[in-house]
Amino acid sequence: MTHTLDPDDWQAFRARARDMLETVLDEMESYREGPVWRHPDELELPQISGEDGCTADTTLKSLLPYGVGNTHPRFFGWVHGAGTPSGLLADMVASTLNANCGGRNHAAIRVERAVIDWCLKLFGLPEAGSGLITTGTSMATLIGLKTARDVATDFAVGAEGVRNGPELVGYASQGVHACFERAFDMLGLGKASLRKLPQDEMGRIRTDALEAAIAEDRAAGRQPFVVCATAGTVNRGAIDDLHAVGELAKREGLWYHIDAAFAAALQLSDSHREKLDGIELADSIGFDFHKWMQVNYDAGCVLIRDREHQLRAFSDRPDYLADAGRGIGSDLPWPVDLGPELSRGFRALKVWTQLIEHGPDKLGQVVDANIEQAGYLARKVEASPELELLSYMGLNICCFRYVAEGLDEAALDALNQELVIRLQEDGIAAPSTTRINGHLAIRVNITNHRTQLSDLDLLVNAVIETGKKLS
């Protein structure tokens, strides 16, 4: 008997596939309808059995109503992109190829290289640069900082370990993403080796504090090795003065890494590109396609100015991955020479498809529209006596709160926390919360090509109505 996992009846499988395709297309066409979020407690998952004749079709369809909600136009929480239907087609082809994109000589590697070459040009980095499509900016950060660490120690740490090397320290603002502390931890440097420096009134890293911290660490015998700027803080959307920070890093001889997780998309906007002036000075950049560029999850990217640095940081060729010169085992360098993963999916295809299908200009127009929408929301908040604007930086994030007379700060915090949860549980909208100047804020992030001004009108009305009920 021949054992295979292919269908016994391909015609029956074709019918199943067509039915599933129609089901998911119906779901995509109706993204705007229904609640933003449904609690997954309502979902019942069957026991794993593998019994003959059983299919997963019914269960797969039952999952569709229970997403996190980011495909809906009133999902405003955290920083999630909405995805596009064209991503479905790319994923179908990627699944069919089932390619391992860690290396070897095949079409998927060529597509990834084409995307990286386009990105290097987009951000003004040299052709001699390199990069990888990653799961997201967290992995991109780890790759960028690992390269920075190795360059700073002339690549000795990789072989000898951090215990035998200098005491390395790096710098970022207090608004830096949590993945940087995790990266310092995973690289053996320790979270305390990341100096979190004060921000100015605009939420940007203070260059005077940065310069002083570098001098202080050097005087104490420590070795500064990296400056991490942020282009779009999670809380407020603040962008460090990328040019000033980059020039300082250059003067001090330090690696310059920029976290542009969502704000990298500003480079596609004719109206807002100048907000990223100085990004071309970076030694490494981490960002996400699955946020403001609307690529389906997951798809991030790391770019490195000097390919040789990235190769020396990661390339390690065991016998079973030796260059064959010809055939499948050729066409070096492979992605595994530029990062930690040998087993990698074909993420680059949905990125490439998005760029071909919609084009950079149209994606830039989505960025412009979302910024205009956030400004509209900020003006509505300011015009509403029940609401208080806490932060708006002219980008796509607006933070505010509901206010009620007679409540102290702790009570207002509790009220706004409950208000946000009620909006989510009722399926009306899905903002998130954060803290701005000590106040708990309703945080609205708009990285959604489906959002319209009417969605923001509905949000404001719902916040006011729910706030009145709760207070």
Side-chain angles (χ1 to χ4, degrees), residues 298-319:
D298 54 23
C301 186
V302 62
L303 300 176
I304 306 288
R305 173 176 292 275
D306 189 328
R307 182 185 295 112
E308 291 305 311
H309 286 156
Q310 192 174 7
L311 283 170
R312 288 192 66 186
F314 288 99
S315 186
D316 182 11
R317 287 248 151 215
D319 292 341

Side-chain angles (χ1 to χ4, degrees), residues 2 9 39 118 149 152 213 278 301 320 350 365 396 416 423 456 458:
T2 301
D9 184 342
H39 202 297
W118 178 82
R149 184 201 69 178
C301 186
Y320 53 83
K350 56 191 172 186
Q365 291 167 13
N396 62 322
N416 281 274
L423 292 178
L456 301 173
L458 191 153

Side-chain angles (χ1 to χ4, degrees), residues 316-335:
D316 182 11
R317 287 248 151 215
D319 292 341
Y320 53 83
L321 295 180
D323 181 10
R326 294 169 52 204
I328 300 175
S330 63
D331 199 27
L332 273 62
W334 295 351

Side-chain angles (χ1 to χ4, degrees), residues 189-221:
L189 304 175
K191 296 178 181 180
S193 294
L194 177 63
R195 308 286 195 254
K196 293 185 179 181
L197 302 178
Q199 298 168 287
D200 64 16
E201 66 282 356
M202 300 291 288
R204 304 172 301 185
I205 190 171
R206 281 177 39 194
T207 53
D208 60 334
L210 173 58
E211 196 164 14
I214 293 171
E216 179 181 339
D217 278 320
R218 281 184 171 146

